[in-house]
Amino acid sequence: MADAIRRATDELDRAFTSLGDTLRDDEAREHVRDTGRRLSEGLKVTFTAVSEEVRRAVGSRRSPGPSQPPPLAPPLEPPADSGISA
């Protein structure tokens, strides 16, 4: 178990060292920055499209279509024990 933890720690150290070396390189840093911008824009477009689909799906369940009148609410009646007659 200790050997597996030591190997995992060594691999993480190498990965972070490599990342640090890459980010010190101006060209690599610009490439990472550009990739991040593109990923951000792609996620924004995707989430916008998904949220519009969700709004349409939820809205179509809540509101009647243009050819359907809204449902009528039942008349309010006071509770039987209130002493007020309808």
Side-chain angles (χ1 to χ4, degrees), residues 72-84:
L72 297 175
L76 297 176
E77 293 188 25
D81 63 346
S82 70
I84 302 172

Side-chain angles (χ1 to χ4, degrees), residues 40-62:
S40 174
E41 183 62 28
L43 289 172
K44 185 170 113 178
V45 168
T46 300
F47 283 117
T48 298
V50 168
S51 66
E52 288 172 6
E53 289 293 322
V54 169
R55 278 190 213 110
R56 272 185 258 172
V58 170
S60 67
R61 287 191 210 148
R62 288 189 179 169

